[in-house]
Amino acid sequence: MRRAVCPGSFDPVTNGHLDIIGRASRLFDEVIVGVLINQSKQGLFTVEERIDMLREVTASYDNVRVESFRGLLVDFCRAQQASVLIKGLRAVSDFDYELQMAQMNIGLAGVETLFMPTNPLYSFLSSSLVKDVAKWGGDISAHVPDTVRQQLTTRLHPTPR
Ligand code: COD
């Protein structure tokens, strides 16, 4: 079985992430979305909330599964019996660090990284930017699925009691 991992923080998932996950699901028998548990960085959403959102928005893909991991990504790949990582590349600025990680991951455990060019519609999109725009009341409806937009609004602008 050809199995690939799409790793990330997904705090929260954006349409850019979803585009990469959907395209990967057409190339591999199974795609595992790996959500990093990062104890040194607190996100806006808990890992459980991020997983719930990811499961909801990938529910239409039969061959996509969402899991969390801590520690090294290559250890997660080994545990999932996946030898390929899929990463989206937005711009040249992404490439430098992604190349370093790809080379480290192949050296550590022989895990290959395949890069997919971002859909031009989403080439400027990141979770951080979406959170910033949402924080100041900007329209993010073109950038995240509706359920994510609603949860961002509730988290950032709770109704006063
Ligand atoms: N268009 C296309 N792709 C996108 C877009 C977009 N608009 N936005 C994000 N992506 C893709 C990128 O490929 C990105 O890598 C991935 O989605 C996830 O993005 P984020 O921002 O949610 O996640 P990151 O970049 O914080 O995730 C980093 C990892 C979790 C992959 C990394 O920190 C990691 O591997 N950590 C585990 C520890 C480890 O193994 N360290 C050693 C590495 S060599």
Side-chain angles (χ1 to χ4, degrees):
M1 179 179 273
R2 289 173 310 150
R3 200 176 271 138
V5 168
C6 286
S9 306
F10 305 105
D11 184 38
V13 59
T14 69
N15 288 342
H17 293 129
L18 262 186
D19 180 65
I20 297 293
I21 294 167
R23 283 158 62 196
S25 78
R26 292 192 283 277
L27 297 174
F28 289 87
D29 297 316
E30 187 174 37
V31 171
I32 300 140
V33 179
V35 183
L36 176 69
I37 302 171
N38 187 347
Q39 269 139 351
S40 59
K41 190 174 161 197
Q42 202 185 345
L44 179 64
F45 293 101
T46 66
V47 169
E48 292 71 27
E49 289 168 333
R50 296 177 212 178
I51 289 176
D52 286 347
M53 282 188 261
L54 275 160
R55 288 195 175 140
E56 185 176 344
V57 300
T58 59
S60 59
Y61 299 113
D62 289 343
N63 63 340
V64 173
R65 182 151 67 77
V66 184
E67 307 286 349
S68 62
F69 73 99
R70 63 179 83 231
L72 283 179
L73 180 54
V74 291
D75 290 337
F76 177 67
C77 290
R78 195 177 294 132
Q80 298 292 331
Q81 298 180 306
S83 54
V84 178
L85 287 166
I86 304 287
K87 295 288 194 82
L89 279 185
R90 285 165 288 195
V92 176
S93 50
D94 279 348
F95 183 72
D96 196 31
Y97 186 49
E98 289 292 351
L99 179 65
Q100 291 172 30
M101 287 196 286
Q103 289 170 333
M104 179 62 84
N105 285 332
I106 200 161
L108 281 172
V111 174
E112 290 283 3
T113 301
L114 300 185
F115 295 114
M116 279 192 179
T118 181
N119 179 324
L121 282 175
Y122 309 128
S123 58
F124 58 92
L125 202 53
S126 67
S127 302
S128 322
L129 215 50
V130 162
K131 284 183 281 193
D132 201 34
V133 172
K135 182 173 156 195
W136 299 108
D139 181 7
I140 52 162
S141 53
H143 309 318
V144 292
D146 203 49
T147 181
V148 175
R149 185 189 59 74
Q150 285 172 22
Q151 291 185 55
L152 267 169
T153 307
T154 308
R155 181 61 44 94
L156 293 168
H157 305 284
T159 331
R161 291 183 202 199

